[in-house]
Amino acid sequence: MTVNPVEAPINILLVDDEPKNLMALETILDSPDYHLTKAQSGEEALMALLTGDFALLVLDVQMPGLGGLELAQLIKERKKTQYIPIIFLTAHYAGDEHVLQGYTAGAVDYLTKPVNPAILRSKVAVFVDLCRKTALEESNRALQKEITERQLAEEALQERNVALENAAEGISRLDPQRHYVTVNQAYAASCGYQPLEMIDMEWQRTVLPDDQEQLMAAYQKMLTQDKAEVEVRGVRKDGSLFYQQLVLVKTNDRQRRFTGHFCFMRDITARKQAEELIKASLHEKEVLLKEIHHRVKNNMQVICSLLHLQSGYIHDLEALALFRESESRIRSMAMIHEKLYQNESLARVDFSEYLSSLGSLLFHTYVANPAAVQLATRLDPVALDLDTAVPLGLVVNELVSNSLKYAYPEGRRGVVELTLRAGPDKQLTLSVCDHGVGLPPGFDLNNTNTLGLRLVNLLSAQLEGTLSVKSSDQGTAFELTFQESPTTKGSGMKINNGNPS
């Protein structure tokens, strides 16, 4: 039970070195309204003041050791005790000089012994009444402060409740058993209920059963990490479904005991529907691109077939070679589109696989005696986009076909080596080597009359690569070094005024 400070007994400290005087003071002031504490010396009184709180001090002036005047000065110097009223008692110092000295030391009254009991009780009653009034005023101020703070807290709580109730985002609070305790209008509306209908409802009832395992995984994460997010499908009152994004925030009381959690919900159905439309649109575009690559490849195959059929009517060997070279170039480009059509990614082609297929096609096209000439490949796994794959494929077509046709004449045996190496910083190195007869004396790569090597030069520049050649009677080696993602725009050759450029 809490005691009202205004009604509680008032603490009074009685100080006198004579026990009989203390007993007399105790008898005079005996009252249920007072709590009397006795001290027989200034030192004992000082210890009592250090440990307790007193409303009045009745103090003898003349005491051995620490006298009354000195004690009074010490009391007034301490912040805790400086406002305690002191009534001095004396049997020896009744003159004006001594009285003035007592008041100077901090006394509020000065009585001579023997003390008149009625006067002492009257004076003590005055200070006790003053103390009670002061305590009452302090109590009233504290009470008013508490009332003001409660009013402000209630106003803030009301404002918060209004804000939560009218928030655009759904907000609910659930107990440790995962039942709804409070639900704002936005949350209830998303679920198709009125707020009061959802009180005490099980949380899982508003989530599709198929998604509840995912929901509970997020709940367990919140229990250990205080917060979790999850996207699940919600179930409205009418059974219709909607997508909801939930943010779970754990709540605890002052003793850090678990009291439930907040659930912040946002209806993301429109976003999910937009995502599905985008996915469907992307799928349609992928199908369309696959069909385009397929048709481009088929059209190029038709052109190759026409060139092949036409070559059957050509008897001039030089013209026949030109037809076959053109057919080979078209096939190398058609094969790129075929790989893209067959690949899951429509943006990049597995160029290592493409080179293996292209090398096999060129080998069977130009090598009459497979026992004499062989094609060896060493290819790092590399994926290239269309703008890089088409010109690089044409370069490989020209260099490999030249080596297969001319490196080992008159039945000589040997190997043509096709290598693709992936280096640091997306740098690629393509090389075509043989150990055949080599290039003609005086050969200049930058000044050649053959269309194939002119194409190699032009396409290397388009790739922003560095092309080098080494040739002797021990063989020829072409090497092209370039970055995987050149800045050149557009794929294949560029034709200006009928000439490759």
Side-chain angles (χ1 to χ4, degrees), residues 129-189:
D129 183 59
L130 179 62
C131 178
R132 290 193 186 280
K133 289 181 179 178
T134 303
L136 179 61
E137 290 176 357
E138 291 179 354
S139 178
N140 288 338
R141 282 195 297 269
L143 182 60
Q144 185 61 44
K145 181 180 179 182
E146 183 179 351
I147 292 173
T148 303
E149 289 176 349
R150 288 188 179 186
Q151 288 177 339
L152 293 174
E154 289 175 0
E155 291 173 1
L157 180 61
Q158 185 176 4
E159 290 177 359
R160 189 194 70 175
N161 289 337
V162 171
L164 292 178
E165 183 62 30
N166 294 279
E169 187 177 52
I171 303 173
S172 66
R173 189 176 183 279
L174 297 100
D175 62 22
Q177 290 72 43
R178 299 188 293 277
H179 291 89
Y180 288 108
V181 177
T182 58
V183 180
N184 77 340
Q185 185 62 43
Y187 195 105

Side-chain angles (χ1 to χ4, degrees), residues 177-338:
Q177 290 72 43
R178 299 188 293 277
H179 291 89
Y180 288 108
V181 177
T182 58
V183 180
N184 77 340
Q185 185 62 43
Y187 195 105
S190 295
C191 298
Y193 293 91
Q194 291 297 321
L196 290 179
E197 292 182 280
M198 299 188 69
I199 304 304
D200 293 329
M201 182 187 294
E202 291 185 355
W203 186 32
Q204 292 93 321
R205 185 173 166 184
T206 57
V207 177
L208 187 69
D210 291 347
D211 291 357
Q212 289 187 9
E213 182 177 350
Q214 186 180 357
L215 177 71
M216 294 311 297
Y219 180 80
Q220 293 300 324
K221 180 181 179 181
M222 177 209 69
L223 292 179
T224 57
Q225 301 182 17
D226 295 337
K227 183 179 178 181
E229 296 184 21
V230 65
E231 292 183 4
V232 293
R233 287 168 291 179
V235 181
R236 296 190 179 95
K237 182 179 180 180
D238 60 7
S240 61
L241 301 182
F242 68 104
Y243 286 94
Q244 53 182 337
Q245 182 184 52
L246 304 179
V247 178
L248 314 180
V249 180
K250 182 179 177 183
T251 58
N252 299 311
D253 60 17
R254 292 183 178 180
Q255 287 73 40
R256 299 297 299 166
R257 292 175 299 194
F258 176 59
T259 60
H261 72 279
F262 280 103
C263 180
F264 300 88
M265 185 257 282
R266 182 175 298 170
D267 189 332
I268 57 172
T269 304
R271 192 193 80 188
K272 286 290 186 179
Q273 291 174 343
E275 289 177 356
E276 292 298 326
L277 289 175
I278 292 172
K279 288 180 181 178
S281 177
L282 288 174
H283 178 68
E284 291 176 0
K285 288 179 172 60
E286 288 177 359
V287 172
L288 180 60
L289 282 173
K290 281 182 177 288
E291 182 62 22
I292 289 173
H293 286 305
H294 184 58
R295 293 193 180 190
V296 170
K297 185 267 295 182
N298 287 344
N299 289 336
M300 287 185 168
Q301 292 284 26
V302 170
I303 295 172
C304 289
S305 297
L306 291 173
L307 289 174
H308 184 72
L309 290 173
Q310 186 65 48
S311 64
Y313 296 93
I314 297 175
H315 302 290
D316 183 272
L317 295 180
E318 184 175 352
L320 181 60
L322 292 175
F323 263 73
R324 287 183 176 175
E325 289 174 358
S326 298
E327 181 183 346
S328 177
R329 291 166 184 146
I330 295 173
R331 284 191 187 278
S332 72
M333 291 186 289
M335 193 176 292
I336 292 285
H337 290 278
E338 181 180 18

